[in-house]
Amino acid sequence: MRDVIIACDFKNQDELFKFLEPFKGLNPFLKIGMEIFYKEGPQLVRKLKDMGCKIFLDLKLHDIPNTVEKAMRNIADLGVEITNVHAAGGILMMQAARRGLDSNPNGKNTKLIAVTQLTSISQQILEEELHIHEPLSEVVKAYALNAKKAGLDGVVCSALEAPIIKELGLISVTPGIRFQDDAVGDQKRVATPSYAKELGSTYIVVGRSITASADPVAAYKRCVKEFC
Ligand code: C5P
C-alpha cells in the first residue's frame, strides 16, 4: 500500500499537463492543493482521474461540522483516494467530515486524514499566537488521537513522527522528503525516501525533488525504488 505522491504545486492546468506528459503510462499519485484547485476547480480532478491518476485532494477543510459534512459529501463525488481536514476543527467536525464522505457511495474508497499542526507553526507561534502551552510534539500526538477517535484513517505529519502515528494504528502521509544530495530549501524536518520507509510512513509526498528536477520521471522512479 506504500506509495509516492507527487505534490503538484503548479499555477494552472497547462503547467501541470506539460509536467505530466512524460509520465504517460505510469499513472502517478498526485497531490492537488488549493492553488491549482481554486484556479481550475473539480473539473481538473475529474480529468486527472480519467487519465488514470490517483489523487490526494489537499483542501484542508476547517469550518463548522454541518458545513464540513456537506462539503465532504460533494468532495466524495470526485472519488479521490485521499482528502483531508484540519484536526484543529475538533472531533465533532472530523466526525461530520467522515459522515459526509460515508453518506455518498462515490466516497467509499476515499481515505480521510487530518492535518495535526502545519509545519509552518513553531513552538513560539503555538504559544504566543495560538495560546497553546504544550510542547508541539504533544499537541501533534493529541490531535492524531482525536483524529482516531473521530474515525479518520490517518494524519499528515513529518516522517520523523511516523512511528508514533503507526503505533496509534493510523496511516501517515509525510511531506518534507529530500534525496540525500538535494537542497533542503524551506523544509525543516526532512527525511530521504528510504529513511521514511524505515520510519514506517505509508505515503511520502514529494514536490520539488521531482518537479524541479532536470529529469522528473527519473526522480519519481528513484523515489519509488527507494520507498516502495
Ligand atoms: O517541494 P516539497 O517536497 O517541499 O513539497 C511538499 C509539499 O507538501 C507541498 O505541497 C507542501 O505544501 C506540502 N506540505 C508540507 N508540509 C505539511 C503539509 C503539506 O510540506 N505539513
Side-chain angles (χ1 to χ4, degrees):
M1 130 137 147
R2 266 196 308 273
D3 212 342
V4 174
I5 304 178
I6 306 174
C8 295
D9 297 318
F10 297 103
K11 277 202 296 292
N12 55 44
Q13 63 176 2
D14 292 346
E15 275 190 12
L16 172 58
F17 286 132
K18 192 158 177 261
F19 167 77
L20 287 176
E21 263 167 31
F23 284 85
K24 263 199 193 101
L26 290 172
N27 298 341
F29 208 133
L30 307 176
K31 179 172 90 72
I32 296 297
M34 290 184 208
E35 182 185 9
I36 198 164
F37 187 82
Y38 288 148
K39 174 83 178 160
E40 308 290 356
Q43 202 50 42
L44 170 65
V45 177
R46 291 193 193 97
K47 272 189 212 163
L48 293 167
K49 291 286 297 172
D50 286 346
M51 287 163 59
C53 297
K54 292 165 283 233
I55 305 291
F56 166 22
L57 188 58
D58 180 23
L59 298 180
K60 301 186 179 75
L61 271 59
H62 188 177
D63 207 319
I64 59 168
N66 184 53
T67 303
V68 168
E69 180 172 351
K70 288 175 176 163
M72 272 298 169
R73 196 172 302 153
N74 284 344
I75 286 178
D77 262 337
L78 297 172
V80 297
E81 279 68 18
I82 306 176
T83 193
N84 60 359
V85 294
H86 266 288
I91 294 177
L92 285 178
M93 189 208 76
M94 290 190 275
Q95 285 172 330
R98 175 94 266 170
R99 267 199 312 280
L101 271 186
D102 292 350
S103 67
N104 181 339
N106 295 327
K108 68 176 188 306
N109 294 322
T110 304
K111 288 196 175 70
L112 182 59
I113 63 174
V115 177
T116 52
Q117 283 292 335
L118 296 170
T119 42
S120 54
I121 301 294
S122 62
Q123 187 67 43
Q124 189 182 2
I125 296 176
L126 199 68
E127 287 179 22
E128 291 177 6
E129 299 175 24
L130 305 185
H131 296 265
I132 298 173
H133 305 287
E134 272 184 59
L136 190 52
S137 58
E138 290 301 313
V139 179
V140 168
K141 199 170 166 187
Y143 281 21
L145 211 51
N146 285 350
K148 186 179 168 142
K149 281 185 194 152
L152 268 58
D153 300 293
V155 299
V156 183
C157 62
S158 151
L160 307 178
E161 285 145 12
I164 306 169
I165 302 304
K166 202 173 179 184
E167 246 172 60
L168 296 177
L170 295 170
I171 64 166
S172 55
V173 177
T174 64
I177 301 296
R178 293 290 180 270
F179 293 122
Q180 202 73 57
D181 40 324
D182 270 347
V184 168
D186 54 356
Q187 290 284 15
K188 296 203 166 60
R189 307 182 67 215
V190 299
T192 61
S194 51
Y195 189 40
K197 178 179 179 177
E198 221 176 282
L199 290 167
S201 290
T202 320
Y203 297 92
I204 51 172
V205 176
V206 189
R208 286 160 289 181
S209 291
I210 293 176
T211 56
S213 157
D215 186 344
V217 173
Y220 171 71
K221 286 184 172 166
R222 181 176 170 193
C223 285
V224 172
K225 194 165 170 225
E226 278 192 32
F227 182 70
C228 297

